[in-house]
Amino acid sequence: MINQTPWLGHFAVFANKRFQFAVTAQGKITLIPIGDNDKPVANSLEIPVEISVEEIRPDGKITVKKLQPKTLESAQPANRKFENAVLRGKVTGEASFELTLEQARGVISLGGRLLDPGTLTKNPLRFSILIKFPSAYRSDNRRDKREQKAFEKKTGDDRLDLTWIDGKRKKQSFAEKVDASSKALGGPGIAAAEVEISSYKGRKFEFIASRNSTLALANEKGPLHEGFEIRWLPDPAKDPQGKARLSLEVR
């Protein structure tokens, strides 16, 4: 791990004027947008990026297996300006995975694959990466018409622009209630997503799934400003070597 401030306890870090991407030695990954004052826009708006191994039950329900931090290992040394690194580890059930981290000109690319199912041989498993946008305006008051009008003005330009794998585009408002996991929003699968939320002080987020992978959305079926998730899913049948990538950029 890195033994220098401010990144004590981290394994890999990339930082520029727009964002910080930090990986701790315990496998916790965080995307931290930076404002015009060269400081994080807010601690409450940091975006967790989670490594997952999912077990798919016969009824379609998904169980996420818990990462075992003590099993994490890498041939690369800890680095404050990383360009590439490979992490290997295990989850509950002794299933092992490989996570690839790459950085080029401020674009972060992540990939991964399942190496061994361990004792989890009953149901199909898949590797995934989960990006969790928190509630964007939890401290904003909307108690009366004046405050509600001010809130609507503040959030009027917030947007989620999607590109489906068939090339069609879909735009979703952050104000209206929506089931983000619905086919109406996800279509045949999502190839790219652009996110712009005013609470992030002008920062725009772009997520792109490479060939043999897709993006999927989920939320609590409320407005997207209350929080939502982007899940990256590689296709293990088409990509057994784990060459597919999730690319993310903050502009």
Side-chain angles (χ1 to χ4, degrees):
M1 67 181 71
I2 297 170
N3 291 314
Q4 297 173 315
T5 57
W7 300 113
L8 289 171
H10 283 74
F11 165 71
V13 173
F14 173 78
N16 61 20
K17 292 184 178 181
R18 301 184 301 276
F19 74 103
Q20 298 169 353
F21 183 85
V23 185
T24 72
Q26 301 298 307
K28 180 182 177 182
I29 305 175
T30 310
L31 177 61
I32 307 168
I34 302 299
D36 293 333
N37 58 358
D38 295 329
K39 295 181 179 180
V41 293
N43 289 337
S44 62
L45 294 176
E46 293 181 354
I47 303 166
V49 179
E50 298 181 357
I51 308 162
S52 296
V53 172
E54 302 174 350
E55 181 179 17
I56 306 170
R57 299 179 180 180
D59 61 3
K61 292 183 179 180
I62 295 172
T63 301
V64 177
K65 300 303 177 181
K66 188 176 180 180
L67 175 68
Q68 303 296 298
K70 291 183 179 180
T71 67
L72 290 173
E73 59 182 15
S74 176
Q76 288 79 35
N79 194 328
R80 289 192 299 172
K81 296 182 180 181
F82 87 95
E83 293 184 350
N84 59 76
V86 177
L87 277 168
R88 291 189 174 187
K90 293 182 178 181
V91 297
T92 49
E94 294 300 304
S96 59
F97 66 88
E98 179 180 83
L99 171 70
T100 301
L101 302 164
E102 299 167 335
Q103 181 278 133
R105 297 181 180 180
V107 178
I108 305 293
S109 297
L110 302 96
R113 58 175 176 155
L114 190 69
L115 297 177
D116 190 284
T119 63
L120 304 176
T121 57
K122 185 177 179 180
N123 299 314
L125 301 175
R126 67 184 182 190
F127 178 90
S128 70
I129 294 173
L130 185 63
I131 300 133
K132 304 177 76 170
F133 276 85
S135 177
Y137 304 103
R138 66 183 66 182
S139 61
D140 283 56
N141 292 322
R142 283 164 275 168
R143 294 168 296 191
D144 54 37
K145 289 184 178 180
R146 180 182 60 82
E147 290 178 342
Q148 181 63 31
K149 187 174 182 180
F151 179 77
E152 290 172 357
K153 182 178 180 180
K154 179 179 180 179
T155 62
D157 293 330
D158 291 359
R159 61 186 179 86
L160 172 63
D161 291 337
L162 304 173
T163 302
W164 291 347
I165 58 176
D166 61 4
K168 294 181 180 179
R169 295 180 178 272
K170 175 74 174 180
K171 180 178 288 189
Q172 177 60 46
S173 165
F174 270 65
E176 61 188 27
K177 292 183 178 180
V178 65
D179 177 0
S181 63
S182 67
K183 190 174 181 61
L185 194 55
I190 300 168
E194 293 186 4
V195 180
E196 185 173 357
I197 307 172
S198 68
S199 59
Y200 284 98
K201 311 301 182 184
R203 294 300 176 213
K204 301 177 182 179
F205 305 86
E206 183 176 68
F207 305 92
I208 299 176
S210 73
R211 183 181 178 185
N212 298 327
S213 67
T214 58
L215 303 176
L217 304 175
N219 71 338
E220 296 295 330
K221 300 182 181 180
L224 291 178
H225 68 73
E226 293 181 353
F228 65 99
E229 302 174 347
I230 300 175
R231 177 178 267 101
W232 177 73
L233 297 166
D235 186 334
K238 296 179 180 179
D239 184 42
Q241 299 302 314
K243 301 296 184 182
R245 294 290 182 267
L246 164 65
S247 297
L248 65 88
E249 185 175 7
V250 181
R251 300 193 302 272

